[in-house]
Amino acid sequence: MAGGAAVQGSAARGAGAQGPAAQGFAAQGSGAQGAAAEPAKPGSAAPAGSGAGVAAGAGGGATATPVTAAAAGGAHAGAAASAGPAGAGAGAAAGAGAPVGGGPAGGFDASAWQARQALIQQQRARAAAPAAWAVRIRPVEAAPIRTATLIAALVAGLAAALLLGDGMGPGLLVAVLPAIAAAYFAARAAGRKARPWTVVWAVGCVALLVVPALRDSAWPATLAILSAVSLASLALHGVRTWPGVLFSPFGFVDSAVNGVGWAWTGLRSRSGGLGRDRWLPVAKAAAVALGLLVVFGTLFASADAAFADLLGDLTPEVSVGDGPVRVLLFVLGAVLALAAARTTAAPLRWDRIRIAPGRARSRLEWALPLVVLNLLFAGFNAVQLAVLFGGYDKVLKSTGHRSYAEYAQQGFWQLLWATLLTLVVIALALRWAPRGGAGDRRFVRAVLGTLCALTLVVVASALRRMDFYVDAYGLTRLRVSVAAMELWLGLVLVLIMAAGVFGARWLPRAVAGSAAAAVLAFGLLSPDGMVAERNVTRFQQDAKIDLAYFQSLSADAAPALDRLPEPQRSCALRGINDDLAEAGDVPWYAMSLGEYRARKILRERPLKASYEDCSRLGTFGSRVEP
């Protein structure tokens, strides 16, 4: 108690010191700081009252020379210490161990500083850590790759190198089959079983890959290939939700990188047990089989011209100049096959992504905008029904249009956008819909069901407008594609209405399946063939034809254009004939059914009209599709 009082008294005097006295206290504090720099020897005792001096130095720093945090720490420790040398030593030790800075009253707090540093480290750790959703979707560890999977991936690479170098056609489907086998073997090794939706996606993927084998046109074939990739991702990942349906194709990027490492690990694990006594007999047998094929195949080809032609058609032609392209195709085919197998072995769990619903609104706040929109749709549809039932003359007179075609052209695109925006409105409305109970659910179904039903009338009106437009100006690729798009949007609206009645768990997969089915139907119906067929029929009815537009059609249009009389037939087929002549001989695996039919037609009935005749008919004029 006496030592503590002495310390407090010294601190009080130091706090009130002025001039030289204050400098003396500061010097004492500095001395205490210097003493802290040198550790005390074991067993040595600090002089009595040194803690008071340290405390006085801390107090003197308030009015004179700034002092270190050691003095501040010494003051606090000296005030808490017991009397005598032990108390003085405690004060000095506390002062010596404190970091540099001002005292707590001067803005420094060691514990606060340490807490601040710990917070910074936590923030840096959180910034470096992956996002929560990225952690949730990570797959389990993939099972070791099987030998059958490695062989199937190798065969897929060889098939891609040999069959895809000359173009897409039946060879694409042949090259994909080994990749499907690789995925199947990987699924067996991982213990995954095929579910009904998985089978549906797999069958749809193979069916879509038939389109490039049937159609020469690039745009339906490209749509079919992209849709096949999407269905393959759905089958391999096994997704059910909207995030899974939308993001699963991106899983191939992750699997392509990990699949190469997965295969390399499998090869390295087998290198130790793959001795010469195992691979040498296989290599010898393969070399002998290849030699026998070359020798006897050459003899039979030289003995019979028909067999030589058949062998030449079936065997891929590989030249030295095609080497880099073939190598690239081999690598691409093998990597894609490994990506499919790796995805099957350890798929990303996209369904674990959870999208939190929006804040539920009250009935009035939520329904008022939608009710107003429903009234607007109802008024528009009333006008459309009046037009469809014979009110066109009045509408054309009041709007200043001269023909049905102009009226239809002006409105179709607006109605298409109205349909798309309605789907966006429905998605947002479901996010913020009231969710208080069964009454709220019935209310939401009634409002959104009415909107969907009114939008279906808008879809019908848009398609009717397109029909009038085609009757006036003919069918084109753009018109048939946007009409197909409008039909699919109408199907999506029907699915949404069904989901409101039967539940929406199946809706993401149903929408994805309907999109793939629409692309498949679009490819199988041959849009270029439909365009040619419709325009030939129109020519037979009113003798109107646009020969310039036919020059951009693919070989799929040849059967319909072959029905035209001369010289229109030859002029319409001139563009297709020039494209096929430029392509030259194409092997079977790169020739679609549409191209095969066109070549047969042109070979049996060559073109007769001259360039001058076709030029006079406007065949080589510019054509801008409206």
Side-chain angles (χ1 to χ4, degrees), residues 211-217 526 554-559 576 580 591-601:
V211 174
L214 298 178
R215 304 300 169 220
D216 179 63
S217 182
S526 181
S554 66
D556 298 330
I576 298 174
L580 296 180
M591 182 184 299
S592 64
L593 179 62
E595 182 178 351
Y596 171 78
R597 289 176 175 175
R599 289 180 179 273
K600 182 179 179 181
I601 289 172

Side-chain angles (χ1 to χ4, degrees), residues 317-465:
E317 296 182 3
V318 181
S319 61
V320 178
D322 295 337
V325 176
R326 303 285 181 176
V327 171
L328 179 62
L329 289 173
F330 171 79
V331 173
L332 185 62
V335 168
L336 290 179
L338 289 174
R342 180 63 170 73
T343 303
T344 309
L348 291 171
R349 303 300 182 180
W350 295 106
D351 285 342
R352 294 178 180 175
I353 298 178
R354 293 290 179 262
I355 300 177
R359 183 174 65 88
R361 310 289 178 172
S362 65
R363 289 193 181 186
L364 178 63
E365 182 184 4
W366 178 83
L368 181 60
L370 295 176
V371 170
V372 172
L373 184 62
N374 283 341
L375 293 176
L376 176 63
F377 271 64
F380 177 81
N381 291 337
V383 175
Q384 298 306 299
L385 292 176
V387 169
L388 292 177
F389 284 105
Y392 255 119
D393 294 333
K394 182 178 180 180
V395 172
L396 294 179
K397 184 182 297 184
S398 61
T399 57
H401 292 91
R402 292 173 295 178
S403 65
Y404 295 163
E406 291 181 358
Y407 179 74
Q409 181 185 16
Q410 183 187 28
F412 174 80
W413 296 105
Q414 289 86 339
L415 297 183
L416 177 62
W417 279 108
T419 307
L420 290 170
L421 291 176
T422 302
L423 293 176
V424 175
V425 169
I426 292 173
L428 295 177
L430 289 173
R431 178 172 175 79
W432 290 302
R435 296 181 291 272
D440 283 340
R441 289 193 292 271
R442 287 192 296 268
F443 180 71
V444 170
R445 292 193 192 107
V447 174
L448 294 183
T450 302
L451 181 59
C452 289
L454 294 173
T455 308
L456 286 176
V457 181
V458 174
V459 171
S461 176
L463 293 174
R464 182 60 174 164
R465 287 169 181 260

Side-chain angles (χ1 to χ4, degrees), residues 107 200 208 292 309 337 385 409 419 467 487 574 577 582 593-594 618:
V200 171
L208 285 166
L292 291 175
D309 293 338
L385 292 176
Q409 181 185 16
T419 307
D467 188 46
L487 279 172
R574 181 174 289 272
N577 182 75
E582 183 179 357
L593 179 62

Side-chain angles (χ1 to χ4, degrees), residues 143-146 149 184-192 262 345:
I145 188 170
R146 297 178 60 181
T149 304
Y184 171 76
F185 295 139
R188 289 281 303 272
R192 296 184 65 187
W262 183 50

